[in-house]
Amino acid sequence: MVAGNWKMNTTIPDGVALARAVLERCGAEGTVDVAVLPPFVHLWPVREVLAASSILLGAQDVFWEEGGAYTGEISPPMLAGWCDLVLVGHSERRHLFGETDAQTAHKFAAARRHGLMVILAVGETETERDEGRTVPVVDRQLEAVLAEIDAPPPADEWVIAYEPVWAIGTGRTASPAQAEEVCAHIRAAVSARAGESPRVLYGGSVTADNAAELFSRAGIDGGLIGGASLKPELFADIVAAAALAALAR
Ligand code: 13P
């Protein structure tokens, strides 16, 4: 899977144009699941652009309540049935907006109650890595979610994205070996707990230049792409790299 997290970028007309460009370049992709995650207000118009394609539509966040007095929030029932997936636990939610492991777990569980596919993002800060705490931090983030739900979703209905915080938007990509090591740990930890691991993506300064090497690693099933997802030609090159890696497996 290659998923483009547009974050808080593009106006609606620019987002619709970007979706058209992604459709043009990636619409015929048959090997890799391609997803775009535009801002909330773009979801409906982007859905209209992508309607006849297999490109998945995702939201960047979701709230855990069904409805009520929660100014500014978007609930799972508002998205269910027409939006394919939601991202929860992105490091920008955790670190810029103070979202806790427990809140991320509530969001995950609420999205699943409404049948939404979920991408769960996990990852350590630079300090946590320097202190040798990468594995315990990622384990804690995963466990918070697994403890909240009765049973893990079927492996094809969720995805884990390993995004080291220090690699996001910094141009400092994790080395393929660093990324593979943590992705392999995640896969083993979730398999031990849930039976079968979902796909594990890497995110953090993925570009058209480093994608092929990252995706060639056995434990990395694709990427969650920020900056490069705003440039359709770069995003399409990353999708092509994932398709080649998938064929080589
Ligand atoms: P960049 O690709 O811009 O580093 O962002 C990664 C990310 O946060 C995707 O969710």
Side-chain angles (χ1 to χ4, degrees):
M1 170 181 273
V2 175
N5 175 10
W6 296 0
K7 307 192 181 184
M8 196 180 72
N9 291 296
T10 71
T11 59
I12 293 178
D14 290 347
V16 166
L18 176 56
R20 287 208 180 96
V22 170
L23 175 66
E24 198 176 295
R25 289 174 168 80
C26 307
E29 177 52 49
T31 314
V32 174
D33 283 342
V34 178
V36 294
L37 285 71
F40 278 122
V41 292
H42 303 34
L43 284 170
W44 192 263
V46 167
R47 174 185 182 269
E48 298 195 333
V49 172
L50 301 179
S53 80
S54 60
I55 297 176
L56 300 168
L57 180 66
Q60 298 173 15
D61 189 23
V62 71
F63 194 54
W64 58 82
E65 294 289 348
E66 309 256 316
Y70 302 101
T71 300
E73 294 297 328
I74 300 288
S75 74
M78 294 176 182
L79 302 172
W82 62 275
C83 188
D84 300 300
L85 59 90
V86 296
L87 172 63
V88 303
H90 191 276
S91 78
E92 285 144 22
R93 301 299 323 167
R94 294 179 190 265
H95 296 290
L96 297 178
F97 302 103
E99 192 169 298
T100 63
D101 290 340
Q103 289 170 333
T104 298
H106 293 341
K107 291 179 173 190
F108 187 103
R112 288 302 305 156
R113 279 196 296 278
H114 291 274
L116 290 155
M117 185 174 177
V118 185
I119 302 179
L120 169 65
V122 298
E124 82 288 1
T125 62
E126 183 163 32
T127 307
E128 289 163 342
R129 175 165 279 265
D130 290 347
E131 292 172 357
R133 292 195 287 128
T134 298
V135 164
V137 165
V138 166
D139 282 349
R140 190 200 71 219
Q141 292 170 337
L142 290 172
E143 184 53 32
V145 168
L146 292 171
E148 170 113 357
I149 51 181
D150 293 336
D156 60 350
E157 291 180 26
W158 64 309
V159 174
I160 298 170
Y162 168 55
E163 297 205 309
V165 180
W166 47 272
I168 295 178
T170 58
R172 277 180 63 201
T173 322
S175 71
Q178 285 173 320
E180 183 176 32
E181 186 185 8
V182 183
C183 289
H185 170 77
I186 290 170
R187 189 181 302 279
V190 176
S191 302
R193 188 79 163 64
E196 197 187 349
S197 173
R199 284 173 287 186
V200 182
L201 313 182
Y202 167 77
S205 298
V206 178
T207 65
D209 295 328
N210 60 28
E213 203 187 341
L214 286 161
F215 300 161
S216 71
R217 299 292 175 131
I220 304 178
D221 299 317
L224 183 55
I225 319 301
S229 74
L230 300 171
K231 305 245 165 58
E233 62 286 355
L234 298 185
F235 187 66
D237 284 349
I238 294 169
V239 170
L244 274 177
L247 289 171
R249 283 195 182 176

